[in-house]
Amino acid sequence: MDAKVASLNDGNVARVVIEGKEEVKSGKFPLTLWEVTMACGVVLGFVLGLMGIYLTMPASDYSFLKLPRSLQDLQILKDNLESYTSDYTIQVLVGYCLVYIFMQTFMIPGTVFMSLLAGALFGVFKGVALVVFTATTGASSCYFLSKLIGRPLVFSLWPDKLTFFQNQVAKRRERLLNYMLFLRVTPTLPNTFINVASPIVDVPYHIFFLATFIGIIPAAFVTVRAGIALGDLQSVGDLYDFQSIVTLFLLGVLSVTPTLMGNKGKP
């Protein structure tokens, strides 16, 4: 039976019913003190890791270190980090991984710039391997954090998307890997939403992991390759030309074809 999600409002209390179970959420703040403490503990772990990297680097002006929000910011970051990459490779790699995983874990926009940076600093093959590793690890971190504390946030932020996702997962349970691959390759649902909502709608972790690891490779290759010619990019929209879009679309169709064929055979 398909799961049902419904929302009821009663004053400043919101109730969400899913599969016959009622979730009660405060309209003032959706997380408990314990849940906030858990999230802060994860943030503290990332901060301590980055502090450890900073303390092992030579004394210098690191004012250029910030999360890139534009291609101009990215170019400045790339120009400064190039001088450190050869002499402090381990520190740069670990720092890059921690930042990327942190951004994925807490759904911070801008990972596309980090993927471009991987291509600019490490080349295509090393860059793709690095992006696939960090993106998969970050998505997994978000998955498990959401499993612990994400339910009220997902209900608050994306009630309609959650209903759609829950129904689709329920209908495609037998070939769920194909469906999850389709979602990863195509922009049907935002990747951040997939990361945080998957444990809520009972997508098994092994399926989530495989779909993420395999499904992000095509887009990672396109983005990392563009990072090599970073100076030629005028906007992020230049990343996906017509050929790239068609390729990703065809890969998405191929990934979901077994699911569609299976549904046809059902009465």
Side-chain angles (χ1 to χ4, degrees), residues 120-174:
L121 292 178
F122 304 108
V124 174
F125 295 107
K126 291 181 181 178
V128 170
L130 187 61
V131 169
V132 171
F133 167 74
T134 51
T136 304
T137 304
S140 298
S141 177
C142 183
Y143 177 99
F144 287 113
L145 186 63
S146 179
K147 194 176 183 70
L148 287 173
I149 66 173
R151 186 176 294 271
L153 288 177
V154 177
F155 283 137
S156 300
L157 295 174
W158 300 291
D160 295 334
K161 283 189 176 69
L162 184 65
T163 304
F164 171 80
F165 192 29
Q166 175 74 60
N167 290 335
Q168 294 302 310
V169 168
K171 287 192 295 186
R172 293 171 169 80
R173 184 67 64 180
E174 293 181 3

Side-chain angles (χ1 to χ4, degrees), residues 181-182 185-186 218 246-256:
L181 277 171
F182 172 78
V185 174
T186 64
V246 170
T247 301
L248 293 177
F249 176 77
L250 290 176
L251 287 171
V253 171
L254 288 175
S255 66
V256 81

Side-chain angles (χ1 to χ4, degrees), residues 61-179:
D61 178 16
Y62 292 108
S63 59
F64 64 88
L65 287 177
K66 64 177 183 178
L67 295 180
R69 290 288 178 244
S70 67
L71 290 177
Q72 184 179 4
D73 292 342
L74 185 61
Q75 187 67 54
I76 294 172
L77 189 60
K78 177 246 184 184
D79 291 341
N80 284 276
L81 282 179
E82 275 185 328
S83 60
Y84 295 99
T85 302
S86 58
D87 296 330
Y88 298 92
T89 306
I90 299 299
Q91 287 92 333
V92 173
L93 276 173
V94 174
Y96 176 93
C97 290
L98 283 174
V99 172
Y100 201 120
I101 293 168
F102 175 80
M103 293 175 71
Q104 284 278 80
T105 300
F106 291 96
M107 301 180 290
I108 299 173
T111 52
V112 63
F113 294 114
M114 297 297 292
S115 298
L116 287 167
L117 183 62
L121 292 178
F122 304 108
V124 174
F125 295 107
K126 291 181 181 178
V128 170
L130 187 61
V131 169
V132 171
F133 167 74
T134 51
T136 304
T137 304
S140 298
S141 177
C142 183
Y143 177 99
F144 287 113
L145 186 63
S146 179
K147 194 176 183 70
L148 287 173
I149 66 173
R151 186 176 294 271
L153 288 177
V154 177
F155 283 137
S156 300
L157 295 174
W158 300 291
D160 295 334
K161 283 189 176 69
L162 184 65
T163 304
F164 171 80
F165 192 29
Q166 175 74 60
N167 290 335
Q168 294 302 310
V169 168
K171 287 192 295 186
R172 293 171 169 80
R173 184 67 64 180
E174 293 181 3
R175 290 181 173 85
L176 189 54
L177 178 59
N178 298 101
Y179 177 63

